[in-house]
Amino acid sequence: MILVGLAGMYLHAQFEKRFLLTFGSIVVVGIGSIAFHGTLLFPLQMLDELPMLYSILTLFYCCAENKPYRRYGVWFPVAITLYGLLTTFVMLFAGPQNHLLEFVVFQSSFAFMVMVVMSHIIKLYGALQDQAIKRMWVLTAAIGFTSYGYWNIDFRLCDLMQNLPFGLFNPQFHAWWHVGASMTSYMVCLLVCYNRAENLDRNPSIQWKAGVLPYVVADRLKSK
């Protein structure tokens, strides 16, 4: 996750700062995930979960404000920021003493934002004419839903996965969830970046780094 975030920042450095922030948030999520899974300490759990929320909020802004003009005014980024701050406050207030409250608040607030972003992505997909870009969206969705399925299996059937019959080894679905989440996060940011460049008449195209990593190339932003 750290690597794909850094790659996104490097390969899309010519785009607006909103996308550098979005790709950069993936890096922070990766750092927090490593720190939490290596220690299982509550403060580092916050370093894992809160950047996930901030990352989806920045992506939401990129999805919603994708036109050449500002659609929702100054209040929109302010509202997003307040949403993140309020969720952060409640999670920290709950602390390790009230883990259930912290868990419910994080899961519900994050899941809500994921659903909001998905609704915007469906609109973007419906307006697409380029079949190659549509196929990339479908592939991204397939990776994302498969990864989420892996997470659910590992989360709900953890004991079973540790003791599979016939001596079968644990497929480590949680690790595959992280791989899939990294790929999905990168691809969604990339395709939203493509959509923004298209709306700004920058003639975007998808190119491949070393034949394995797609990225967006576009003309320079036209001065008004």
Side-chain angles (χ1 to χ4, degrees):
M1 188 166 281
I2 296 174
L3 293 178
V4 298
L6 290 173
M9 294 177 69
Y10 173 74
L11 293 172
H12 301 90
Q14 78 275 24
F15 288 90
E16 297 158 283
K17 290 183 175 62
R18 65 177 70 179
F19 294 107
L20 297 181
L21 181 62
T22 305
F23 281 114
S25 67
I26 299 175
V27 177
V28 180
V29 172
I31 294 172
S33 181
I34 292 173
F36 171 56
H37 287 80
T39 63
L40 298 181
L41 296 174
F42 179 78
L44 298 181
Q45 180 181 350
M46 295 297 96
L47 186 60
D48 179 32
E49 293 177 347
L50 288 174
M52 291 174 61
L53 177 65
Y54 304 154
S55 181
I56 197 70
L57 289 175
T58 59
L59 181 59
F60 174 43
Y61 179 83
C62 293
C63 286
E65 289 288 4
N66 64 332
K67 300 298 184 182
Y69 52 90
R70 176 170 281 182
R71 300 174 68 188
Y72 300 111
V74 177
W75 70 267
F76 184 54
V78 172
I80 292 175
T81 302
L82 290 176
Y83 182 93
L85 289 175
L86 178 60
T87 306
T88 300
F89 173 78
V90 176
M91 289 173 64
L92 294 177
F93 176 79
Q97 297 82 12
N98 197 339
H99 178 68
L100 178 60
L101 175 61
E102 183 276 327
F103 178 82
V104 170
V105 169
F106 169 69
Q107 292 289 335
S108 59
S109 59
F110 182 74
F112 172 72
M113 290 310 308
V114 169
M115 296 300 293
V116 171
V117 169
M118 285 179 61
S119 69
H120 281 272
I121 287 174
I122 290 171
K123 292 179 183 178
L124 297 183
Y125 180 83
L128 277 173
Q129 301 298 323
D130 190 321
Q131 293 302 311
I133 300 299
K134 294 189 80 166
R135 286 193 294 270
M136 291 189 74
W137 272 117
V138 171
L139 176 61
T140 300
I143 295 172
F145 283 117
T146 301
S147 303
Y148 180 65
Y150 285 162
W151 179 85
N152 266 283
I153 293 172
D154 182 79
F155 179 71
R156 302 180 187 282
L157 302 173
C158 183
D159 291 339
L160 176 63
M161 301 308 294
Q162 294 286 353
N163 300 281
L164 291 173
F166 311 113
L168 295 174
F169 68 93
N170 187 339
Q172 300 296 334
F173 281 157
H174 193 83
W176 286 109
W177 146 251
H178 281 283
V179 173
S182 300
M183 295 172 62
T184 304
S185 299
Y186 178 86
M187 290 297 297
V188 169
C189 292
L190 176 146
L191 291 166
V192 171
C193 184
Y194 181 96
N195 171 259
R196 170 70 173 172
E198 197 171 43
N199 288 340
L200 294 177
D201 294 324
R202 295 183 62 184
N203 300 315
S205 62
I206 300 293
Q207 296 191 13
W208 294 79
K209 194 72 172 179
V212 294
L213 186 66
Y215 64 101
V216 182
V217 174
D219 297 340
R220 287 186 175 276
L221 190 61
K222 297 175 183 178
S223 58
K224 295 182 180 180

